[in-house]
Amino acid sequence: MSSTNSSGDPAAVRVVGGWASPFVNRVVVALKLKGVEHEMLQETVGKKSELLLRSNPVHKKIPVLLHHGKPIAESLIIVEYIDEVWPASNGAPSILPRDPYGRAVERFWAKYIDDKIPPGIRVLRGSVEEDKDKAAGEMSTALQHLEEAFVKCSQGKQYFGGDNIGYLDIALGSFLGWIRAVEKIAGVELLNETKVPNLAAWADRFCAHPAVVDVVPDADRLVEFTVQHAALLRAVNVPNCAQTSIYRRLCLCLPHLLELDQPADVRHGLLGGVELLLFLGHIE
Ligand SMILES: N[C@@H](CCC(=O)N[C@@H](CS)C(=O)NCC(=O)O)C(=O)O
């Protein structure tokens, strides 16, 4: 659960999310930028809540923003909604540019980011079985284009949005933890200071911003998350496993294993149990 100042009733704004999701982090950064008080409802990995299924019945994905109980899904749509409902005031910046052309340009690049970055991350973290070299090459090309976009949009200032974080900063910045994590997991260089110097310097500035620093997780935490998630998927992904007592035991430990507040030694202990079952051949 988290909250920031302003806007009165804490239940007025709730986010159905999860700490490791870059899409959720977009919403949280936007709310923090605007100083909007909100409540985080953390979903458990591997188990969708009734609230999520009810609030986003089409995609069943996080994030969902609940504003006075009304659900809004899709991270970029939510960010635009936040910008409209809480317009620039008292130091809270505007997220999208004011002029229609500027908005069109930023929406173009935000769509490009969503088309290119998440699929590459999925391959490089190993959740999709595809050619990793090809994925790394495609991500590097995308980052090269985004380096050029940064130079044009920022016009010599600190962020895509100029003097403050804007729409494209949020759209791309939410992936920075994962980009750095997959660099470690796959042993590739993506945000390379030689190839994309402006983007590399922007990435450090973005992650240090007060609206971001506690939101976008660091690479090591995401690497640990990836290892645990992969072990669980291996464990539960066996034919007829739902009939087995092992599966039932995994279902008991799975919701706890990846939770944010679980101490690392407890998570490691549970993971060790899963690995031992794998080793003993109870599950493949
Ligand atoms: N286009 C969506 C993507 C959301 C998304 O992929 N969320 C992931 C978590 S990072 C999710 O809920 N996955 C669960 C699933 O696919 O069933 C957005 O921008 O909000």
Side-chain angles (χ1 to χ4, degrees):
M1 180 162 318
S2 83
S3 60
T4 52
N5 59 13
S6 119
S7 117
D9 175 10
V13 182
R14 295 189 293 163
V15 182
V16 184
W19 65 272
S21 165
F23 303 103
V24 172
N25 292 335
R26 285 175 171 170
V27 174
V28 179
V29 169
L31 289 170
K32 287 189 128 203
L33 265 185
K34 298 285 190 176
V36 176
E37 187 174 337
H38 59 278
E39 187 184 346
M40 264 311 287
L41 306 172
Q42 293 277 347
E43 283 288 303
T44 302
V45 176
K47 195 177 133 201
K48 296 184 192 216
S49 69
E50 277 304 313
L51 180 63
L52 173 61
L53 297 175
R54 207 169 53 238
S55 312
N56 190 359
V58 175
H59 296 305
K60 305 175 178 65
K61 289 185 179 186
I62 52 173
V64 177
L65 183 81
L66 297 165
H67 189 201
H68 296 296
K70 288 188 291 183
I72 304 123
E74 287 295 313
S75 59
L76 292 174
I77 293 173
I78 299 172
V79 170
E80 293 206 27
Y81 177 83
I82 291 169
D83 200 31
E84 284 181 28
V85 173
W86 294 278
S89 66
N90 297 333
S94 184
I95 291 177
L96 274 154
R98 286 177 195 283
D99 67 299
Y101 183 73
R103 285 202 293 276
V105 168
E106 297 217 359
R107 287 180 180 131
F108 169 87
W109 284 115
K111 179 165 186 333
Y112 182 77
I113 289 164
D114 276 5
D115 285 346
K116 301 292 176 188
I117 304 295
I121 288 174
R122 280 183 209 115
V123 175
L124 293 174
R125 70 176 270 201
S127 52
V128 170
E129 285 289 329
E130 275 173 33
D131 187 333
K132 288 194 168 50
D133 290 337
K134 183 165 169 272
E138 286 172 359
M139 267 183 89
S140 290
T141 305
L143 290 170
Q144 194 67 56
H145 283 303
L146 289 162
E147 166 87 359
E148 287 157 29
F150 177 82
V151 172
K152 282 192 189 142
C153 293
S154 65
Q155 298 187 339
K157 296 187 175 156
Q158 302 240 307
Y159 301 103
F160 281 95
D163 289 322
N164 213 328
I165 287 182
Y167 189 61
L168 276 183
D169 297 283
I170 295 173
L172 181 60
S174 61
F175 287 112
L176 287 171
W178 275 110
I179 292 173
R180 288 173 172 153
V182 298
E183 285 183 316
K184 292 182 178 214
I185 294 166
V188 293
E189 280 199 356
L190 298 168
L191 262 178
N192 184 316
E193 277 161 29
T194 324
K195 280 198 260 176
V196 286
N198 288 292
L199 224 44
W202 160 82
D204 291 341
R205 277 196 299 278
F206 179 81
C207 288
H209 189 285
V212 177
V213 75
D214 296 326
V215 180
V216 173
D218 69 30
D220 289 338
R221 198 152 163 237
L222 292 170
V223 172
E224 189 192 355
F225 174 86
T226 303
V227 171
Q228 294 176 348
H229 197 229
L232 282 167
L233 286 181
R234 275 206 317 277
V236 296
N237 199 16
V238 290
N240 302 321
C241 74
Q243 322 304 330
T244 64
S245 66
I246 303 295
Y247 177 80
R248 283 195 288 275
R249 283 161 69 185
L250 285 172
C251 285
L252 285 177
C253 76
L254 188 145
H256 306 294
L257 193 56
L258 299 166
E259 272 177 13
L260 172 64
D261 297 330
Q262 205 64 251
D265 55 341
V266 173
R267 282 184 276 136
H268 285 141
L270 287 167
L271 183 62
V274 174
E275 294 286 30
L276 183 63
L277 292 171
L278 289 169
F279 177 72
L280 292 175
H282 289 293
I283 44 183
E284 288 173 352

